[in-house]
Amino acid sequence: MKKSKPQGSVQTLLNLRDVIDRYLVLADYTVLCFVSVSPVNVELLSPIEKKGLIDDLTSSLSGFDRPWKFYSISRPVDVNPMKDRYMTMLETAEGVRAQLITDALEELKRIEQGQIVERQFVFSFSGTWEHREDTLTSAVQFVEALATNGIHAEIMSRHEIIRMLGVCTGTITDSLPEDLDFAPLIPAIREDVE
C-alpha cells in the first residue's frame, strides 16, 4: 500500500494564515503574541537569592489572570565560523590579546565535546483577531511583571516570529536572510578593539 503525501503548503499543514506585525494569525483567525524571555542563570544565585527570586516571580505572576503557554525551543549551534575567525585573528595578535584568543579557542574546543545548544524561552498569549489589542496588552503586562523582578523579556517582532517558526518546523532557508539576522548569544572577542 502506497502512503500518500500531505498536499499543500507548510502554512496549510500547520494551520497558519499569516504573520502580521507582532501577531501569528492562525487559519481560524486566532492570534498569538509571543514574548521572548532571556535565560536566567540561577546557578550564580545563593539559595536565599533563588528562593527570593521564585517568591517574587510567583507574587508578580499570580495576579496575572490571562492564560499563557510556555515553549523552550532548542537548536544546535555551529561554532566553526567563530573558531575560524579566532584562528585568523590569532595570526596577527600579540601579547595579552594572543593569550585571550588562545584561551577562547581552548574554551570552544572544551564545550564542543558535548552538543552546543541554544535555548530560547518563549511565552505565548492567544486571542481573537477582533481583540488582538487585548492580547498585545496582556503580553506587555507580562513583560512588565518580569521586568519588576529583573528578568529581561520582549515581545517578538514579525521577523523573530518567522525565525522561530522556521526553527520549530525546520523550514528556515537562505532565501530569508533578513529573518535570520540575529546576534550570537556566545560572547565573542571583537577584532576592532585594541
Side-chain angles (χ1 to χ4, degrees):
M1 184 161 103
K2 193 175 183 181
K3 288 186 178 181
S4 64
K5 293 182 180 177
Q7 299 297 314
S9 66
V10 172
Q11 287 87 349
T12 305
L13 184 64
L14 295 177
N15 193 29
L16 305 178
R17 181 170 297 277
D18 203 352
V19 179
I20 301 171
D21 192 26
R22 295 179 179 267
Y23 304 102
L24 173 65
V25 184
L26 303 180
D28 64 355
Y29 289 97
T30 296
V31 295
L32 298 173
C33 189
F34 296 95
V35 173
S36 177
V37 179
S38 297
V40 176
N41 189 351
V42 294
E43 293 174 3
L44 300 175
L45 301 176
S46 71
I48 293 171
E49 291 171 320
K50 284 181 197 177
K51 184 175 180 347
L53 177 63
I54 292 168
D55 290 346
D56 291 346
L57 280 172
T58 302
S59 173
S60 295
L61 299 177
S62 65
F64 197 78
D65 60 354
R66 183 85 183 235
W68 44 266
K69 292 183 181 176
F70 172 75
Y71 307 90
S72 177
I73 302 166
S74 302
R75 71 178 185 97
V77 176
D78 180 15
V79 295
N80 287 325
M82 183 181 281
K83 283 179 21 185
D84 293 344
R85 195 175 99 223
Y86 283 175
M87 292 300 289
T88 303
M89 290 169 58
L90 188 59
E91 292 172 4
T92 59
E94 297 176 352
V96 174
R97 186 167 181 78
Q99 185 60 46
L100 285 173
I101 295 170
T102 302
D103 292 348
L105 282 167
E106 289 300 317
E107 182 65 16
L108 284 175
K109 287 178 188 172
R110 186 187 67 74
I111 63 175
E112 207 172 30
Q113 299 303 317
Q115 184 178 6
I116 301 172
V117 175
E118 175 187 52
R119 286 191 176 77
Q120 183 177 18
F121 301 110
V122 178
F123 291 82
S124 71
F125 299 86
S126 64
T128 62
W129 178 253
E130 295 80 22
H131 298 103
R132 64 187 175 276
E133 291 301 322
D134 294 339
T135 305
L136 182 60
T137 300
S138 294
V140 168
Q141 290 170 347
F142 190 79
V143 168
E144 290 169 352
L146 291 174
T148 60
N149 294 291
I151 297 174
H152 177 72
E154 58 186 31
I155 297 172
M156 294 175 73
S157 68
R158 178 181 186 274
H159 291 290
E160 292 167 328
I161 293 169
I162 291 170
R163 187 181 73 226
M164 177 189 68
L165 291 172
V167 168
C168 292
T169 61
T171 56
I172 286 184
T173 65
D174 292 333
S175 63
L176 297 171
E178 70 278 4
D179 295 327
L180 300 175
D181 186 28
F182 60 98
L185 294 178
I186 300 172
I189 298 172
R190 292 177 31 192
E191 293 180 62
D192 60 343
V193 177
E194 289 297 325

